[in-house]
Coordinates of all heavy atoms in Angstrom, one line a residue:
H348 N 41.0 -21.9 -136.7 CA 41.9 -22.0 -137.9 C 42.8 -23.2 -137.8 O 43.2 -23.5 -136.6 CB 42.7 -20.7 -138.1 CG 43.5 -20.6 -139.3 ND1 44.7 -21.3 -139.5 CD2 43.3 -20.0 -140.5 CE1 45.2 -21.1 -140.7 NE2 44.4 -20.2 -141.3
P349 N 43.1 -23.9 -138.8 CA 43.9 -25.1 -138.7 C 45.2 -25.0 -137.9 O 45.5 -25.8 -137.1 CB 44.1 -25.6 -140.1 CG 43.0 -25.1 -140.9 CD 42.6 -23.8 -140.2
R350 N 45.9 -23.8 -138.1 CA 47.1 -23.6 -137.4 C 46.9 -23.4 -135.9 O 47.7 -23.8 -135.1 CB 47.9 -22.5 -138.0 CG 48.8 -22.9 -139.2 CD 49.9 -22.0 -139.5 NE 50.8 -21.8 -138.4 CZ 51.7 -20.9 -138.2 NH1 51.9 -20.0 -139.2 NH2 52.5 -20.9 -137.2
E351 N 45.8 -22.7 -135.6 CA 45.5 -22.5 -134.2 C 45.2 -23.8 -133.5 O 45.6 -24.0 -132.4 CB 44.3 -21.5 -134.1 CG 44.6 -20.1 -134.6 CD 43.3 -19.3 -134.6 OE1 42.2 -19.8 -134.6 OE2 43.4 -18.0 -134.6
I352 N 44.4 -24.6 -134.2 CA 44.0 -25.9 -133.6 C 45.2 -26.8 -133.4 O 45.4 -27.5 -132.4 CB 43.0 -26.6 -134.5 CG1 41.7 -25.8 -134.5 CG2 42.7 -28.0 -134.0 CD1 40.7 -26.2 -135.5
E353 N 46.1 -26.8 -134.4 CA 47.3 -27.6 -134.3 C 48.2 -27.1 -133.1 O 48.7 -28.0 -132.3 CB 48.2 -27.5 -135.6 CG 49.5 -28.3 -135.5 CD 50.3 -28.1 -136.8 OE1 50.0 -27.3 -137.6 OE2 51.4 -28.7 -136.9
A354 N 48.4 -25.8 -133.0 CA 49.2 -25.3 -131.9 C 48.6 -25.7 -130.5 O 49.3 -26.1 -129.6 CB 49.4 -23.8 -132.0
F355 N 47.2 -25.6 -130.4 CA 46.5 -25.8 -129.2 C 46.6 -27.3 -128.8 O 47.0 -27.7 -127.7 CB 45.1 -25.4 -129.3 CG 44.2 -25.9 -128.2 CD1 44.4 -25.4 -126.9 CD2 43.1 -26.7 -128.5 CE1 43.5 -25.8 -125.9 CE2 42.3 -27.2 -127.4 CZ 42.5 -26.7 -126.2
L356 N 46.3 -28.2 -129.8 CA 46.3 -29.6 -129.5 C 47.7 -30.2 -129.3 O 47.9 -31.1 -128.4 CB 45.6 -30.4 -130.6 CG 44.1 -30.1 -130.8 CD1 43.5 -31.0 -131.9 CD2 43.4 -30.3 -129.5
R357 N 48.7 -29.7 -130.0 CA 50.1 -30.1 -129.7 C 50.5 -29.7 -128.3 O 51.3 -30.4 -127.7 CB 51.0 -29.6 -130.8 CG 50.9 -30.3 -132.2 CD 52.1 -30.1 -133.1 NE 51.8 -30.7 -134.4 CZ 51.8 -32.0 -134.7 NH1 52.1 -32.8 -133.7 NH2 51.6 -32.4 -135.9
S358 N 50.1 -28.5 -127.9 CA 50.4 -28.1 -126.5 C 49.8 -29.0 -125.5 O 50.4 -29.4 -124.5 CB 50.0 -26.6 -126.3 OG 50.7 -25.8 -127.1
L359 N 48.5 -29.4 -125.8 CA 47.8 -30.3 -124.8 C 48.5 -31.7 -124.8 O 48.7 -32.3 -123.8 CB 46.4 -30.5 -125.3 CG 45.3 -29.6 -124.8 CD1 44.0 -29.9 -125.3 CD2 45.3 -29.5 -123.2
R360 N 49.0 -32.1 -126.0 CA 49.7 -33.4 -126.1 C 51.0 -33.3 -125.3 O 51.4 -34.3 -124.6 CB 50.0 -33.7 -127.5 CG 48.9 -34.3 -128.3 CD 48.7 -35.7 -127.8 NE 47.9 -36.5 -128.7 CZ 47.1 -37.5 -128.3 NH1 47.0 -37.8 -127.0 NH2 46.4 -38.2 -129.1
A361 N 51.7 -32.2 -125.4 CA 52.9 -32.0 -124.6 C 52.7 -32.0 -123.1 O 53.5 -32.6 -122.4 CB 53.6 -30.7 -125.1
L362 N 51.6 -31.4 -122.7 CA 51.3 -31.4 -121.3 C 50.8 -32.7 -120.7 O 51.2 -33.1 -119.6 CB 50.2 -30.3 -121.0 CG 50.6 -28.8 -121.1 CD1 49.3 -28.0 -121.1 CD2 51.6 -28.5 -120.0
Y363 N 50.1 -33.5 -121.5 CA 49.5 -34.7 -121.1 C 49.8 -35.8 -122.1 O 48.9 -36.4 -122.7 CB 48.0 -34.5 -120.9 CG 47.7 -33.3 -120.0 CD1 47.1 -32.2 -120.6 CD2 47.9 -33.3 -118.7 CE1 46.8 -31.1 -119.9 CE2 47.6 -32.2 -117.9 CZ 47.1 -31.1 -118.5 OH 46.8 -29.9 -117.8
P364 N 51.0 -36.2 -122.2 CA 51.4 -37.2 -123.3 C 50.8 -38.6 -123.1 O 50.6 -39.3 -124.1 CB 52.9 -37.2 -123.2 CG 53.3 -36.8 -121.9 CD 52.2 -35.8 -121.5
Q365 N 50.5 -39.0 -121.9 CA 50.0 -40.3 -121.7 C 48.5 -40.4 -121.5 O 47.9 -41.5 -121.3 CB 50.6 -40.9 -120.4 CG 52.1 -40.8 -120.4 CD 52.7 -41.6 -121.5 OE1 52.3 -42.7 -121.9 NE2 53.8 -41.0 -122.1
K366 N 47.8 -39.3 -121.7 CA 46.3 -39.2 -121.5 C 45.6 -39.3 -122.8 O 46.1 -38.8 -123.8 CB 45.9 -38.0 -120.7 CG 46.5 -38.0 -119.2 CD 45.9 -36.9 -118.4 CE 46.5 -36.9 -117.0 NZ 45.9 -38.1 -116.2
R367 N 44.4 -39.9 -122.8 CA 43.6 -40.0 -124.0 C 42.8 -38.7 -124.2 O 42.1 -38.2 -123.3 CB 42.6 -41.1 -123.9 CG 41.8 -41.4 -125.2 CD 41.1 -42.7 -125.1 NE 40.3 -43.0 -126.3 CZ 40.8 -43.5 -127.4 NH1 42.1 -43.9 -127.4 NH2 40.1 -43.8 -128.5
L368 N 43.0 -38.1 -125.4 CA 42.4 -36.7 -125.6 C 41.2 -36.8 -126.6 O 41.3 -37.3 -127.7 CB 43.5 -35.9 -126.3 CG 43.2 -34.5 -126.9 CD1 42.6 -33.6 -125.8 CD2 44.4 -33.9 -127.6
R369 N 40.1 -36.2 -126.1 CA 38.9 -36.0 -127.0 C 38.7 -34.5 -127.3 O 38.8 -33.7 -126.3 CB 37.7 -36.5 -126.3 CG 36.4 -36.2 -127.1 CD 35.1 -36.7 -126.4 NE 35.1 -38.2 -126.5 CZ 34.1 -38.9 -126.0 NH1 33.0 -38.3 -125.4 NH2 34.1 -40.2 -126.0
V370 N 38.5 -34.2 -128.5 CA 38.3 -32.8 -128.9 C 36.9 -32.7 -129.5 O 36.5 -33.5 -130.4 CB 39.3 -32.3 -129.9 CG1 39.4 -33.1 -131.1 CG2 39.1 -30.8 -130.2
I371 N 36.1 -31.7 -129.1 CA 34.8 -31.4 -129.7 C 35.0 -30.1 -130.5 O 35.3 -29.1 -129.9 CB 33.7 -31.2 -128.6 CG1 33.6 -32.5 -127.7 CG2 32.4 -30.9 -129.2 CD1 32.9 -32.3 -126.4
F372 N 34.8 -30.2 -131.8 CA 35.1 -29.0 -132.6 C 33.8 -28.6 -133.4 O 33.1 -29.4 -133.9 CB 36.2 -29.3 -133.6 CG 36.5 -28.2 -134.6 CD1 36.8 -26.9 -134.1 CD2 36.4 -28.4 -135.9 CE1 37.1 -25.9 -135.0 CE2 36.6 -27.4 -136.9 CZ 37.0 -26.1 -136.4
Q373 N 33.6 -27.3 -133.3 CA 32.5 -26.7 -134.1 C 33.1 -25.8 -135.2 O 33.7 -24.7 -134.9 CB 31.6 -25.8 -133.2 CG 30.4 -25.2 -134.0 CD 29.7 -24.2 -133.1 OE1 30.3 -23.3 -132.5 NE2 28.4 -24.3 -133.1
P374 N 33.1 -26.2 -136.5 CA 33.6 -25.3 -137.6 C 32.9 -24.0 -137.6 O 31.7 -23.9 -137.3 CB 33.3 -26.1 -138.8 CG 33.1 -27.5 -138.4 CD 32.5 -27.4 -137.0
H375 N 33.6 -22.9 -138.0 CA 33.1 -21.6 -138.0 C 33.1 -21.1 -139.4 O 34.2 -20.9 -140.0 CB 33.9 -20.7 -137.1 CG 33.4 -19.3 -136.9 ND1 34.0 -18.2 -137.6 CD2 32.4 -18.8 -136.2 CE1 33.3 -17.1 -137.3 NE2 32.4 -17.4 -136.4
L376 N 32.0 -20.8 -140.0 CA 31.8 -20.3 -141.3 C 31.9 -21.4 -142.4 O 32.8 -22.3 -142.4 CB 32.8 -19.2 -141.7 CG 32.8 -17.9 -140.9 CD1 33.9 -17.0 -141.4 CD2 31.5 -17.2 -140.9
F377 N 30.9 -21.4 -143.3 CA 30.9 -22.3 -144.4 C 32.2 -22.1 -145.3 O 32.8 -23.0 -145.8 CB 29.6 -22.1 -145.3 CG 28.4 -22.6 -144.5 CD1 27.6 -21.7 -143.9 CD2 28.1 -23.9 -144.4 CE1 26.4 -22.1 -143.3 CE2 27.0 -24.3 -143.8 CZ 26.1 -23.4 -143.2
S378 N 32.5 -20.8 -145.6 CA 33.6 -20.5 -146.5 C 34.9 -21.0 -145.9 O 35.8 -21.5 -146.6 CB 33.7 -19.0 -146.8 OG 33.8 -18.3 -145.6
R379 N 35.1 -20.8 -144.6 CA 36.4 -21.2 -144.0 C 36.5 -22.7 -144.0 O 37.6 -23.3 -144.2 CB 36.5 -20.7 -142.5 CG 37.8 -21.0 -141.9 CD 37.9 -20.5 -140.5 NE 38.2 -19.1 -140.4 CZ 37.5 -18.2 -139.8 NH1 36.4 -18.5 -139.2 NH2 37.8 -16.9 -139.8
T380 N 35.3 -23.4 -143.7 CA 35.3 -24.9 -143.8 C 35.7 -25.4 -145.1 O 36.5 -26.3 -145.3 CB 34.0 -25.4 -143.4 OG1 33.6 -24.9 -142.0 CG2 33.9 -26.9 -143.3
R381 N 35.1 -24.7 -146.2 CA 35.4 -25.1 -147.6 C 36.9 -24.9 -147.9 O 37.6 -25.8 -148.5 CB 34.6 -24.3 -148.5 CG 34.8 -24.5 -150.0 CD 34.3 -23.3 -150.8 NE 34.9 -22.0 -150.4 CZ 34.3 -20.8 -150.6 NH1 33.1 -20.7 -151.1 NH2 35.0 -19.7 -150.2
D382 N 37.4 -23.7 -147.5 CA 38.8 -23.4 -147.9 C 39.9 -24.2 -147.1 O 41.0 -24.4 -147.7 CB 39.0 -21.9 -147.6 CG 38.1 -21.0 -148.5 OD1 37.7 -21.5 -149.6 OD2 37.9 -19.8 -148.1
F383 N 39.6 -24.6 -145.9 CA 40.6 -25.3 -145.1 C 40.2 -26.6 -144.6 O 40.7 -27.1 -143.6 CB 41.0 -24.3 -143.9 CG 41.4 -23.0 -144.3 CD1 40.7 -21.9 -144.1 CD2 42.7 -22.8 -145.0 CE1 41.1 -20.6 -144.5 CE2 43.1 -21.5 -145.4 CZ 42.3 -20.4 -145.1
A384 N 39.3 -27.3 -145.3 CA 38.9 -28.6 -144.8 C 40.0 -29.6 -144.6 O 40.0 -30.3 -143.5 CB 37.9 -29.2 -145.8
A385 N 40.9 -29.7 -145.5 CA 42.1 -30.6 -145.3 C 42.9 -30.3 -144.1 O 43.3 -31.1 -143.3 CB 42.9 -30.7 -146.6
G386 N 43.1 -29.0 -143.9 CA 43.9 -28.5 -142.8 C 43.2 -28.8 -141.5 O 43.9 -29.2 -140.5
F387 N 41.9 -28.6 -141.4 CA 41.1 -28.9 -140.2 C 41.3 -30.4 -139.9 O 41.5 -30.8 -138.7 CB 39.7 -28.5 -140.4 CG 39.4 -27.1 -140.2 CD1 38.8 -26.4 -141.2 CD2 39.8 -26.4 -139.1 CE1 38.5 -25.0 -141.1 CE2 39.5 -25.1 -138.9 CZ 38.9 -24.4 -139.9
A388 N 41.1 -31.3 -140.9 CA 41.1 -32.7 -140.7 C 42.5 -33.1 -140.1 O 42.6 -33.9 -139.2 CB 40.8 -33.5 -142.0
E389 N 43.6 -32.6 -140.7 CA 44.9 -32.9 -140.3 C 45.2 -32.5 -138.9 O 45.7 -33.2 -138.1 CB 45.9 -32.3 -141.2 CG 47.4 -32.6 -140.9 CD 48.4 -32.0 -141.9 OE1 47.9 -31.3 -142.8 OE2 49.6 -32.2 -141.7
S390 N 44.8 -31.3 -138.5 CA 45.1 -30.8 -137.2 C 44.2 -31.5 -136.1 O 44.7 -31.8 -135.0 CB 44.8 -29.3 -137.1 OG 43.5 -28.9 -137.4
L391 N 43.0 -31.8 -136.4 CA 42.1 -32.5 -135.5 C 42.6 -33.9 -135.2 O 42.3 -34.5 -134.2 CB 40.7 -32.4 -136.0 CG 40.0 -31.1 -135.9 CD1 38.7 -31.1 -136.7 CD2 39.7 -30.6 -134.5
S392 N 43.2 -34.5 -136.2 CA 43.7 -35.9 -136.1 C 44.8 -36.1 -135.1 O 45.1 -37.2 -134.8 CB 44.2 -36.4 -137.5 OG 43.1 -36.4 -138.4
I393 N 45.3 -35.0 -134.5 CA 46.2 -35.1 -133.4 C 45.5 -35.7 -132.2 O 46.2 -36.4 -131.4 CB 46.7 -33.7 -133.0 CG1 47.6 -33.1 -134.2 CG2 47.5 -33.7 -131.7 CD1 47.9 -31.6 -134.0
A394 N 44.2 -35.5 -132.1 CA 43.5 -36.1 -130.9 C 43.2 -37.6 -131.1 O 43.1 -38.1 -132.2 CB 42.2 -35.3 -130.8
D395 N 42.9 -38.2 -130.0 CA 42.6 -39.7 -130.1 C 41.1 -39.8 -130.5 O 40.7 -40.8 -131.2 CB 42.7 -40.3 -128.7 CG 44.1 -40.2 -128.2 OD1 45.0 -40.9 -128.8 OD2 44.4 -39.5 -127.2
E396 N 40.3 -38.8 -130.1 CA 38.8 -38.9 -130.4 C 38.4 -37.5 -130.9 O 38.8 -36.5 -130.3 CB 38.0 -39.3 -129.1 CG 38.5 -40.6 -128.5 CD 37.6 -40.9 -127.2 OE1 36.6 -40.2 -127.0 OE2 38.0 -41.8 -126.5
V397 N 37.6 -37.5 -131.9 CA 37.1 -36.2 -132.4 C 35.6 -36.3 -132.5 O 35.0 -37.3 -133.0 CB 37.7 -35.9 -133.8 CG1 37.1 -34.6 -134.4 CG2 39.2 -35.9 -133.8
R398 N 34.9 -35.3 -132.0 CA 33.5 -35.1 -132.2 C 33.2 -33.8 -132.9 O 33.6 -32.7 -132.4 CB 32.8 -35.1 -130.8 CG 33.1 -36.3 -129.9 CD 32.5 -37.6 -130.5 NE 32.8 -38.8 -129.7 CZ 33.7 -39.7 -130.0 NH1 34.5 -39.5 -131.0 NH2 33.8 -40.7 -129.2
L399 N 32.6 -33.9 -134.1 CA 32.4 -32.7 -134.9 C 30.9 -32.3 -134.8 O 30.0 -33.1 -135.0 CB 32.7 -33.1 -136.4 CG 34.1 -32.9 -136.9 CD1 34.1 -33.2 -138.4 CD2 34.6 -31.5 -136.6
L400 N 30.7 -31.0 -134.5 CA 29.4 -30.4 -134.6 C 29.1 -29.8 -136.0 O 30.0 -29.7 -136.8 CB 29.3 -29.3 -133.5 CG 29.6 -29.7 -132.1 CD1 29.5 -28.4 -131.2 CD2 28.6 -30.7 -131.6
D401 N 27.9 -29.4 -136.2 CA 27.5 -28.7 -137.4 C 28.3 -27.4 -137.5 O 28.7 -26.8 -136.5 CB 26.0 -28.5 -137.5 CG 25.2 -29.7 -137.8 OD1 25.8 -30.7 -138.3 OD2 24.0 -29.7 -137.5
I402 N 28.4 -26.9 -138.7 CA 29.1 -25.6 -139.0 C 28.2 -24.5 -138.3 O 27.0 -24.4 -138.5 CB 29.2 -25.3 -140.5 CG1 30.2 -26.4 -141.1 CG2 29.8 -23.9 -140.7 CD1 30.2 -26.4 -142.6
Y403 N 28.9 -23.5 -137.7 CA 28.3 -22.3 -137.2 C 28.3 -21.3 -138.3 O 29.4 -20.9 -138.7 CB 29.0 -21.8 -135.9 CG 28.3 -20.6 -135.3 CD1 27.2 -20.7 -134.5 CD2 28.9 -19.3 -135.5 CE1 26.6 -19.6 -134.0 CE2 28.2 -18.2 -135.0 CZ 27.1 -18.4 -134.2 OH 26.5 -17.3 -133.7
P404 N 27.2 -20.8 -138.8 CA 27.2 -20.0 -140.0 C 27.6 -18.6 -139.8 O 28.1 -17.9 -140.7 CB 25.8 -20.1 -140.5 CG 25.0 -20.3 -139.3 CD 25.8 -21.2 -138.4
A405 N 27.4 -18.0 -138.6 CA 27.7 -16.6 -138.3 C 27.0 -15.8 -139.3 O 25.8 -15.8 -139.5 CB 29.2 -16.3 -138.2
R406 N 27.8 -15.0 -140.1 CA 27.2 -14.1 -141.1 C 26.8 -14.7 -142.4 O 26.3 -14.0 -143.3 CB 28.2 -12.9 -141.3 CG 29.5 -13.4 -141.8 CD 30.6 -12.4 -141.9 NE 31.9 -12.9 -142.3 CZ 32.8 -13.3 -141.5 NH1 32.6 -13.3 -140.2 NH2 34.0 -13.8 -141.9
E407 N 27.1 -16.0 -142.6 CA 27.0 -16.6 -144.0 C 25.8 -17.4 -144.2 O 25.2 -18.0 -143.2 CB 28.2 -17.5 -144.2 CG 29.5 -16.7 -144.3 CD 30.7 -17.7 -144.7 OE1 30.6 -18.9 -144.5 OE2 31.7 -17.1 -145.2

Side-chain angles (χ1 to χ4, degrees):
H348 184 281
R350 275 202 60 192
E351 294 172 338
I352 295 169
E353 179 185 5
F355 170 64
L356 294 183
R357 288 200 184 283
S358 294
L359 272 182
R360 279 290 195 209
L362 287 171
Y363 311 108
Q365 305 303 319
K366 293 185 180 293
R367 187 169 179 84
L368 170 61
R369 172 181 291 182
V370 59
I371 302 164
F372 176 58
Q373 181 188 49
H375 184 260
L376 299 178
F377 292 100
S378 60
R379 184 182 282 125
T380 303
R381 175 198 62 202
D382 295 337
F383 302 111
F387 282 124
E389 182 179 0
S390 60
L391 290 167
S392 296
I393 295 169
D395 301 294
E396 305 178 9
V397 179
R398 303 294 182 259
L399 271 185
L400 301 177
D401 287 339
I402 296 170
Y403 183 79
R406 57 187 176 268
E407 293 185 338

